[in-house]
Amino acid sequence: MSTQVLSEELKERIRKVRLVMVDNDGVMTDGRIIYGDNGDELKFFDVQDGFGLVLLRRAGYKTVMISGKKSRVNKRRAKDLQISGVYQNAFDKLAVFETVAKKYKVKPEQICYIGDDLIDLPPMKRAGFSVAVPEAVEDVLKAAHYVTLKRGGRGAIREVVDLLLKTQGQWAEVTSRYFR
């Protein structure tokens, strides 16, 4: 977990979270997209971030991947991690946010949204707990309730997962099988 000191107000926001929405490019990945000569698209995902999303699922959270781009790679990663919902070509991320809230029967204050660019601002402003990665654009950094110490695609999601589970008192139960 980060060494950042959390205010009581921030802890209260975190305690309400039941669903985590993550932007893909720049949050789940490091933001780089590599195109191969054969039209292949390559992205870099962090294994610990992925395992963090698995831990969230085990703790009963819903997880949602949202991307302004459509990619087979995104869909494959979401399937591998058993992410609850995947929304691609999402140019109106606030509309997706509202759809997700309704579908999973959660209030906006029960959603953690992790983003990095301007397209993420509208749902970040609605979310009960909004998070930015440190390389996010300035306006996103200003709008976030929390800025991770780890970079997008390099442990930021895992940092948030650990923060959620520990602040909500679920860490010991969810991870007990690893401390036998």
Side-chain angles (χ1 to χ4, degrees), residues 115-118 120-121 124 131-132 136-144:
D116 73 321
D117 214 333
L118 296 176
D120 298 307
L121 272 176
M124 286 181 72
V131 178
V137 298
E138 186 176 346
D139 290 315
V140 169
L141 292 169
K142 287 179 182 176

Side-chain angles (χ1 to χ4, degrees), residues 6-109:
L6 304 177
S7 69
E8 285 305 314
E9 187 248 337
L10 188 57
K11 288 178 186 176
E12 189 54 36
R13 286 181 178 278
I14 293 167
R15 286 185 192 109
K16 293 177 184 176
V17 173
R18 298 292 172 260
L19 183 145
V20 176
M21 289 184 76
V22 296
D23 172 52
N24 191 64
D25 295 318
V27 176
M28 284 193 68
T29 74
D30 63 7
R32 294 182 293 169
I33 301 172
I34 299 170
Y35 294 108
D37 287 339
N38 296 325
D40 296 337
E41 180 179 84
L42 303 174
K43 297 183 182 194
F44 296 89
F45 295 95
D46 186 277
V47 172
Q48 290 182 348
D49 282 345
F51 187 63
L53 292 171
V54 169
L55 292 174
L56 278 182
R57 188 181 75 250
R58 287 182 186 160
Y61 290 77
K62 297 295 183 190
T63 54
V64 173
M65 175 196 290
I66 185 168
S67 180
K69 185 177 185 327
K70 186 173 183 177
S71 168
R72 291 186 324 237
V73 175
N74 296 350
K75 194 169 183 176
R76 178 176 176 191
R77 184 66 172 155
K79 182 180 177 187
D80 287 349
L81 298 175
Q82 298 178 15
I83 289 176
S84 308
V86 180
Y87 296 84
Q88 298 194 84
N89 280 341
F91 302 112
D92 183 350
K93 290 190 176 183
L94 183 58
V96 174
F97 179 94
E98 299 295 344
T99 297
V100 165
K102 185 180 252 184
K103 177 179 180 177
Y104 294 106
K105 298 178 173 75
V106 294
K107 298 175 184 170
E109 59 266 22

Side-chain angles (χ1 to χ4, degrees), residues 147-167:
V147 177
T148 62
L149 297 173
K150 302 278 187 163
R151 297 174 58 92
R154 302 299 294 241
I157 292 173
R158 181 57 181 273
E159 179 181 331
V160 173
V161 168
D162 291 3
L163 179 66
L164 289 170
L165 294 175
K166 289 176 180 179
T167 302

